[in-house]
Amino acid sequence: MNNNNNFNSNRISSTQPYLSDEARNALFEGKDRKWGNNNNNNNNNNNNKNYDTLSNQEVFEKQKRDMEEQDKMLDALSGSISRVKDTAITINKTAQEQTDMLDELDVHVDSTSARMRNTTKNLITLTQQSKTTGYWSVICFLLLVLLVVIILASVL
């Protein structure tokens, strides 16, 4: 691809220059050349040389070192993100397995509930039948006693 196309593709519009005339003049004349943030805190002032006192080569080397440090930090961050991704995938698999187990358990609970309802109905029916069976047993016993009394009365 042509460098001229890259240059034009980064512009807001092809008729608008990157820099204002004032900024371009300041850049080429070397006036008011300020690199970085003018409001540096004390840590930046203690750890870094002021960009105002550096030559272009020193600024380039400093920026190159900064980029290498940032690359290392990004690599570490990438590793952390990969571990978080792996953890998320593992959590997703575990959650899916537990969802499947819960679905299976739900099916078993439903079938067990149906069997419990049928068993309860059968138990109620049996209980009602046992009450009437007791009555029939008492009636049969009393009839037997009545027959014995009648037979004994006729023999005597």
Side-chain angles (χ1 to χ4, degrees), residues 89-139:
I89 289 171
T90 302
I91 289 171
N92 183 37
K93 286 179 184 177
T94 303
Q96 186 61 43
E97 289 171 359
Q98 290 180 357
T99 300
D100 294 343
M101 288 190 295
L102 286 173
D103 289 343
E104 187 177 324
L105 180 65
D106 188 41
V107 169
H108 289 298
V109 167
D110 287 344
S111 66
T112 303
S113 293
R115 287 193 319 220
M116 286 292 289
R117 280 192 299 275
N118 289 338
T119 303
T120 302
K121 286 179 186 176
N122 291 339
L123 186 60
I124 289 171
T125 303
L126 180 64
T127 304
Q128 290 172 347
Q129 288 175 354
S130 68
K131 286 180 184 176
T132 58
T133 302
Y135 293 141
W136 282 108
S137 299
V138 170
I139 290 171

Side-chain angles (χ1 to χ4, degrees), residues 1-55:
M1 188 181 233
N2 188 332
N3 283 342
N4 194 21
N5 288 342
N6 282 340
F7 178 77
N8 288 332
S9 67
N10 291 329
R11 289 185 178 182
I12 295 173
S13 75
S14 60
T15 59
Q16 190 176 25
Y18 268 129
L19 300 172
S20 67
D21 290 335
E22 180 182 319
R24 187 180 306 111
N25 290 337
L27 179 65
F28 288 117
E29 292 173 10
K31 294 180 183 175
D32 298 336
R33 183 179 75 171
K34 302 286 186 196
W35 300 100
N37 187 357
N38 290 334
N39 299 323
N40 289 335
N41 60 22
N42 288 337
N43 290 337
N44 285 342
N45 286 336
N46 292 338
N47 294 334
N48 301 323
K49 279 185 163 181
N50 191 348
Y51 279 111
D52 290 339
T53 62
L54 298 177
S55 71

